[in-house]
Each structure stands twice: as structure tokens, then as C-alpha cells.
Amino acid sequence: MEEFLRACRRTLQEDVGPAGPGVHVVLGNEACDVDSMVSALAFAYFLFRVRCCGDPPVLPLLNIRQSELVLRSDNLFLLRRTGLSPDLLLFRDQLDLRALHTAGRLRLTLVDHNVLPSSDADLEGAVVEVLDHHQLERKASPSCPVTVEMVGSCATLVTERIIQKAPQILDQQLAQLLYGTASMVLDCVNMAPAAGKVTPKDSQYAAALETRFPALPPRGALFQELQEAKFDVSGEFMSFCASLLPPSHLSLSPRWDFYLALQVSRKLLSVQSKVSFRLTGNKLASRKKLLPIVKNFLRECDGDCCLGDAEEESVVPPTPMNSLVEGCPLDEGLPKITAEDLQDKFRQMDSADL
């Protein structure tokens, strides 16, 4: 794996560009959590090892800027634990995907998400394969094979593909990356059935890695280390998260109180539709299960008829004056938030959720 990543960096520096031979990029989601990072690294390595002569070079690309990796403490921990330097990784701000696509030199495989956000919609024509474990949102296409299965982590599906198609490429380092993610430990909450996330396939491939590599760290110990690293967050990191989700529009507290306030259309700017969920004490509640409900609601509210005629009397309670709606002093000069904007944000949160 280390030599592969070094070769990827050399490719980036020497060969990749609009005038070069082209490239096959394996792209994780915008959250770039451990599952997304490892799935991109491992699946790119798999494609590299099974590619045919004449195929373009394969690059794993983390879908964040290089400067943002320091904010992902669990990613850094797992990299250190497996002996991989973060300096070997490739990031979104190091490769111009649009220029490559415009030149007809980009092939794109999506892992840990199955649709591109609206900001990357122009890259859709480059997508050649999808491997994901979230709710399917992608339209079927004969030119793009899609594997979507609601398992605990995308790394489970990557492990399955490797063991079925190229088991010889597995070594201790790659196995530990997969095991520590999918390990089905972090994304499956240490494989505990009570968590409501583990599936038989997660258990099957965790056991397969343990059998093949008995020197893997004990499951419970690795889970504890990853959890501690994941929640070892600084004030800077919390500020970063807060900047992604303005509290005026979305609040997710540690007790999973969920409150969403949104403007459903320009015709209904004076009406604020409110969806609230109280999930305190529900161990099975997670954003991954909650967000599809909200996204369906947003789709329904994307037209002018979401809540009926604007002239009809609304049953929605009066809007507080500190909310960003028409007539509020805080709204002056601020851009309106559309349902599409919120769907993109929820897609990022969905991908990042355990």
C-alpha cells in the first residue's frame, strides 16, 4: 500500500494533467470520515492491482482540502496505527478534476456515496462505477455499474470485492486499514447487535480478516482506541463543524434533539415549515436513519404547492423574530437557503454519520 501511494504521488507530479494520458480517480464523500478515506484508498489499490495493460493510472482522492485532514483525528490515528504517513495521501485541492473531465481524460469511481453533490454535477459524465452503503439516490445507468448495499460500512463492501476478486493483494497493513474501519469496528460500533448497525455481511468479513490475519489488534481494544481518537476534538474542530451548519437553520445536540427550520419556496417565504424529532434515549436513532426522512420532505417541499396556497391560513406556529425569514432584520444581505442546498448538506452529514 505504501509503495502504491508513493507511485500515486509521482503520477500526480509527473503525468496527470489535461494534456496527459488520463487518470482513474476513486473519490470518497465530502465528509471524508474514516470509512470514506479507507474505502477510497483500498478500492483504488484493488483497481490498481487488477487493471489491464493500457488502463489509466488509478489515484485515491480524499474529497477534502489537504489542510482539513488535521481536523479528522480518527483518520490520522488509523493512518499512524497502520504505519502510513498522511503525507502520502492525495487531496481534492491537489487535482483539477474539472480540467481532466473537460479534456476527456477522467474516469471517476465513487465510494461511500452514490450521487455527486450539486457542486460536482458537471463531473457526472465521468462516473464509471459506484460502491456504497447508503440509501440509493442514483438513477440507473447501463454505463455505470452500481453496488449499493445497506451494510454497516462501505469498507465491508470493499473487503468483499477484494476477497472475492483478488485475495492475494491482502497483507497485514491493508487488512488493518479495512478492519479498523469496517472493522466493522468503528462504523459498526464494535459489531454490537444492540447498536442496530451491524449486518451479517459485516460480521462475515470481519471474521474473514481475523482468520487470515490473527495478528490484527483485538477488536475491543481497537474499537476503544478509535472511539477515543474520534471524539478527541479541539475547540477549533468544533468551530469548524459549527461553521458548516448555521445554528439558525439546523441544530444537532449530543442528545439527538433534531430541529430543522427551512423556507420551502419563494412563494411561501412568510411560512416556516418545521420538522422536529425527539430521539432522546433511543440507541438505534442516528442521522443515517433520520436524514432520508428529512430529504424526502425536502423533495416534497421543492415546489410551490408544498403546503398548499400561500394565501391560506397557515397552521404553522408564528416564526420567532430571530429566524432567518422574510422581514427579519437578521436576513438583510444574507442569501436564501434552498431545498437543494439543504439536501447537499444532509447528504454530507449522512455520509459522515456512523
Side-chain angles (χ1 to χ4, degrees):
M1 173 65 77
E2 183 172 343
E3 184 51 42
F4 164 66
L5 294 178
R6 292 186 185 281
C8 288
R9 291 207 64 83
R10 290 194 295 270
T11 298
L12 180 67
Q13 295 166 1
E14 299 169 3
D15 302 325
V16 176
V23 65
H24 186 165
V25 171
V26 179
L27 184 68
N29 63 47
E30 293 176 296
C32 195
D33 59 359
V34 169
D35 191 23
S36 180
M37 177 187 75
V38 171
S39 294
L41 294 174
F43 199 63
Y45 181 62
F46 162 76
L47 292 176
F48 164 74
R49 292 293 301 269
V50 301
R51 69 180 182 143
C52 299
C53 181
D55 286 349
V58 183
L59 300 180
L61 194 67
L62 273 60
N63 205 354
I64 56 172
R65 295 186 296 271
Q66 184 177 18
S67 61
E68 294 174 5
L69 182 64
V70 69
L71 303 173
R72 289 157 173 79
S73 53
D74 47 345
N75 295 43
L76 291 170
F77 172 83
L78 187 59
L79 289 170
R80 289 194 299 267
R81 193 75 157 77
T82 53
L84 289 175
S85 169
D87 295 335
L88 296 175
L89 306 181
L90 304 180
F91 299 86
R92 183 64 186 265
D93 56 341
Q94 296 175 328
L95 186 62
D96 191 341
L97 297 183
R98 285 179 175 79
L100 287 168
H101 182 44
T102 300
R105 301 181 183 277
L106 176 65
R107 301 182 67 188
L108 198 58
T109 290
L110 307 183
V111 293
D112 206 23
H113 61 317
N114 61 79
V115 289
L116 289 166
S118 58
S119 58
D120 285 333
D122 54 333
L123 300 177
E124 181 57 42
V127 179
V128 296
E129 186 174 5
V130 172
L131 189 68
D132 187 30
H133 71 126
H134 297 97
Q135 180 177 354
L136 180 61
E137 299 180 71
R138 186 176 192 83
K139 295 181 180 179
S141 169
S143 62
C144 177
V146 175
T147 301
V148 172
E149 188 171 345
M150 301 290 283
V151 293
S153 75
C154 187
T156 292
L157 302 178
V158 175
T159 304
E160 177 184 45
R161 185 73 65 91
I162 291 173
I163 288 178
Q164 289 182 351
K165 302 293 186 181
Q168 73 279 3
I169 75 171
L170 275 172
D171 58 17
Q172 180 74 26
Q173 188 176 60
L174 178 57
Q176 187 160 320
L177 273 176
L178 292 166
Y179 186 69
T181 308
S183 288
M184 303 144 200
V185 171
L186 184 59
D187 258 22
C188 297
V189 193
N190 202 21
M191 306 296 290
K197 297 176 183 289
V198 65
T199 69
K201 181 167 287 189
D202 296 305
S203 300
Q204 174 188 348
Y205 285 102
L209 290 174
E210 290 169 336
T211 299
R212 289 168 177 264
F213 300 94
L216 286 171
R219 187 183 295 178
L222 182 56
F223 169 74
Q224 187 60 39
E225 291 174 350
L226 284 166
Q227 286 293 92
E228 290 175 358
K230 181 174 183 178
F231 294 107
D232 180 18
V233 294
S234 65
E236 179 185 12
F237 179 62
M238 296 305 290
S239 298
F240 173 76
C241 292
S243 70
L244 293 179
L245 293 171
S248 302
H249 296 285
L250 181 64
S251 174
L252 283 175
S253 76
R255 296 179 62 194
W256 294 110
D257 296 339
F258 190 95
Y259 178 84
L260 171 63
L262 61 107
Q263 298 160 327
V264 294
S265 71
R266 290 186 179 276
K267 185 177 180 181
L268 300 174
L269 284 176
S270 61
V271 178
Q272 185 181 56
S273 176
K274 300 180 181 179
V275 180
S276 90
F277 298 84
R278 190 77 175 181
L279 300 174
T280 303
N282 186 350
K283 294 182 180 179
L284 301 183
S286 70
R287 289 177 299 185
K288 186 175 290 183
K289 296 181 179 180
L290 192 60
L291 290 176
I293 300 172
V294 177
K295 286 190 282 189
N296 287 336
F297 176 81
L298 286 170
R299 292 190 189 99
E300 294 171 1
C301 290
D302 205 18
D304 287 341
C305 299
C306 177
L307 296 178
D309 197 308
E311 268 63 48
E312 294 181 5
E313 182 178 357
S314 172
V315 297
V316 180
T319 304
M321 283 300 292
N322 63 348
S323 299
L324 297 183
V325 296
E326 187 176 21
C328 174
L330 296 177
D331 197 27
E332 296 180 6
L334 293 176
K336 298 298 182 184
I337 293 180
T338 65
E340 185 180 53
D341 294 332
L342 287 168
Q343 287 182 44
D344 278 348
K345 184 58 65 180
F346 289 142
R347 188 175 293 118
Q348 294 177 38
M349 293 170 59
D350 192 10
S351 299
D353 191 37
L354 290 178

